[in-house]
Amino acid sequence: MSEDNLLDLALVRLDEAARHLAIDPDVIEKLKYPRETTKARLMIRMDDGSRKSFIAWRCRYDDTRGPTKGGIRYHPDASEEEAEALAFWMTFKCAVMNLPYGGGKGAVRVDPRSLSRSELERLSRAYIQAFARILGPDRDIPAPDVYTNSMIMGWMADEYAQIVGQAAPAVITGKPLALGGSVGRDDATARGGYYLTCHLAAEMGLGEQMRVAIQGFGNAGRHIARLLAADGHKIVAVSDSAGAVFAHDGLNVERLEAAKAAGRPVTSTVGLDGHQECPADELIATACDLLVPAALENMIHERNVSKVQARVVLELANGPVTPEADRILERNGVIVLPDILANAGGVTVSYFEWVQNRQGYYWELAEVHSRLRTIMEREGREIWRTAQEKKVPMRTAAYVHALRRLAAAIEAHGTQNFFSAE
Ligand code: GLU
């Protein structure tokens, strides 16, 4: 197994979970491969009149429990294999939360920062033109992911509506409020992780005033910093793709948010409010209670894992810890709240958005928050219990929890579904 084959790494977790359940081997066989991955080359007109092409994918990993669901990522390192691994994680994430969805994921290999706003819009519309035939509110429902946002989802929803000739807001979630988005979707990923951490804090040995280090200051990282700081916890270190900042007595989170809102890196705050620069790869070594990886995959691996000093790791990113690193964290007594549970608040509020779109009836923010909290606490508690009973890490317990639901659905479908044609 090559170390950077992401889908192979993801499948290690499936094998581990399967060992703890009496499960039909057919179930594992079905979950080991993506159902379909579609690839397209998107050709767009650049502002200077030239044409440029970008490679793009949409993977529908498994749809046994419902339409496939998952974000679209814009990243220069995006690949087919990464989209498939992320779609695999979505399959398990939706099952963990008992959402009526399967798993999917999309990607475009592009550095979105190199495009103008109108080029970005043309690229996003081209994505929908290429994949519209496999999307749909009952088929495959995209959402934001790394370097995509509500503005992009708005363009995509508009393009889809034009293609099908009618309003179809439920085809995409994470839309702007004006186009049928849900209140509370913007900070849902972080808020879900926050509810989960607070709910299990006592059992995990976390105290009143935690020291927190956050890797990544995008949608997830920014919001978790704000939520935890508001409760009096100290955010001692934060990084983004340009570098990291540290302050022993706690960073000024408002200052960091203002810098990001103005398009500046977190390191632009160095020298203000006691903020000091620190090497980005030292962030995970920060002396803290809670470490929050909120950036990309495989950031904590065999070679740097021994530096982790935190008691708890809250995975707001997808796949930030490799299986090797997992084993070392377990040996060192570090609790990992795994991605398929910890960052599932995002897709859960996406589900609420889809429900609201289909009902044509929109909820208040308090309702979104209370429903999210109920689900996070219920599934989190159940997984905690499984981990205690089976004496396994939270990740294995989360996979066991999801696998039970997936196996029940696969078995209930009967054998025909294994070979269903498009
Ligand atoms: N991209 C997010 C994730 O990885 C959200 C997916 C969604 O809302 O469908 O969970």
Side-chain angles (χ1 to χ4, degrees):
M1 185 181 72
S2 85
E3 221 216 20
D4 45 17
N5 188 330
L6 266 183
L7 187 56
D8 284 348
L9 292 184
L11 290 171
V12 170
R13 273 68 186 253
L14 176 59
D15 284 341
E16 268 163 23
R19 281 208 298 273
H20 296 275
L21 283 177
I23 219 156
D24 184 339
D26 285 358
V27 168
I28 303 298
E29 181 67 9
K30 177 155 171 46
L31 291 171
K32 253 165 59 182
Y33 309 98
R35 173 191 165 139
E36 60 172 345
T37 306
T38 312
K39 176 172 160 183
R41 196 158 264 285
L42 312 180
M43 187 74 79
I44 63 160
R45 179 79 67 194
M46 305 301 279
D47 291 347
D48 66 3
S50 66
R51 278 180 180 275
K52 212 167 175 175
S53 79
F54 299 89
I55 184 134
W57 300 269
R58 184 73 192 168
C59 171
R60 299 181 63 231
Y61 196 95
D62 182 79
D63 63 350
T64 316
R65 300 186 75 256
T68 44
K69 182 88 193 81
I72 300 172
R73 158 177 304 204
Y74 288 178
H75 198 277
D77 300 330
S79 67
E80 179 166 329
E81 171 212 299
E82 180 193 55
E84 290 178 342
L86 288 159
F88 167 90
W89 283 319
M90 286 308 302
T91 305
F92 281 79
K93 195 185 296 184
C94 292
V96 157
M97 300 304 274
N98 212 11
L99 308 179
Y101 293 138
K105 202 73 163 205
V108 182
R109 185 179 295 157
V110 61
D111 182 353
R113 290 166 298 191
S114 70
L115 300 184
S116 71
R117 191 181 151 120
S118 54
E119 289 165 346
L120 197 61
E121 178 171 351
R122 288 195 286 276
L123 181 72
S124 304
R125 290 185 183 275
Y127 187 93
I128 296 302
Q129 286 158 17
F131 295 107
R133 67 201 160 78
I134 60 164
L135 305 178
D138 289 305
R139 198 163 198 220
D140 183 27
I141 309 150
D145 197 78
V146 172
Y147 293 147
T148 53
N149 55 26
S150 62
M151 180 174 72
I152 292 173
M153 297 305 115
W155 295 327
M156 289 182 161
D158 180 70
E159 188 65 30
Y160 185 82
Q162 288 187 36
I163 292 171
V164 298
Q166 62 183 47
V171 70
I172 282 181
T173 60
K175 299 179 294 295
L177 293 182
L179 291 181
S182 175
V183 289
R185 177 64 185 85
D186 50 351
D187 73 356
T189 304
R191 187 172 286 276
Y194 165 76
Y195 288 153
L196 177 72
T197 309
C198 296
H199 186 61
L200 297 175
E203 286 87 341
M204 298 189 299
L206 293 176
E208 288 286 296
Q209 232 203 22
M210 292 188 287
R211 295 173 66 78
V212 184
I214 304 172
Q215 181 186 52
F217 212 60
N219 179 274
R222 229 167 42 218
H223 288 299
I224 195 80
R226 181 179 48 79
L227 289 165
L228 291 171
D231 279 357
H233 302 296
K234 279 193 181 8
I235 313 301
V236 290
V238 155
S239 67
D240 60 18
S241 57
V245 281
F246 170 84
H248 184 267
D249 295 324
L251 295 159
N252 180 337
V253 173
E254 274 172 29
R255 169 89 64 194
L256 292 169
E257 288 203 275
K260 289 307 268 190
R264 293 195 306 268
V266 292
T267 45
S268 68
T269 65
V270 168
L272 305 165
D273 308 308
H275 291 198
Q276 299 165 24
E277 185 147 15
C278 85
D281 51 5
E282 284 303 304
L283 182 122
I284 67 157
T286 307
C288 60
D289 305 295
L290 182 69
L291 173 64
V292 187
L296 293 168
E297 304 92 53
N298 293 353
M299 302 302 278
I300 302 176
H301 44 74
E302 207 182 346
R303 294 174 302 284
N304 66 6
V305 61
S306 55
K307 294 185 184 170
V308 172
Q309 299 191 45
R311 170 180 285 274
V312 176
V313 176
L314 174 70
E315 292 187 334
L316 289 189
N318 288 309
V321 179
T322 66
E324 269 302 318
D326 250 351
R327 281 188 269 279
I328 298 169
L329 289 173
E330 188 192 359
R331 214 180 303 139
N332 295 348
V334 180
I335 298 172
V336 178
L337 295 174
D339 48 7
I340 57 168
L341 169 66
N343 71 30
V347 69
T348 303
V349 178
S350 275
Y351 165 60
F352 297 163
E353 180 174 333
W354 180 80
V355 168
Q356 292 170 76
N357 291 152
R358 295 172 75 111
Q359 292 180 329
Y361 180 77
Y362 288 82
W363 308 349
E364 302 286 341
L365 185 60
E367 175 151 15
V368 169
H369 286 172
S370 98
R371 285 181 185 268
L372 174 62
R373 175 175 231 143
T374 303
I375 301 180
M376 283 313 306
E377 292 184 354
R378 183 182 65 215
E379 304 303 329
R381 173 65 52 193
E382 193 62 38
I383 291 168
W384 180 264
R385 218 175 281 136
T386 300
Q388 305 300 307
E389 270 166 28
K390 294 191 178 290
K391 300 193 174 23
V392 293
M394 283 292 275
R395 188 180 324 273
T396 306
Y399 274 90
V400 165
H401 187 65
L403 199 48
R404 283 190 184 120
R405 286 180 177 147
L406 281 159
I410 290 169
E411 279 157 19
H413 270 286
T415 49
Q416 287 307 309
N417 185 263
F418 277 66
F419 309 105
S420 66
E422 263 311 293

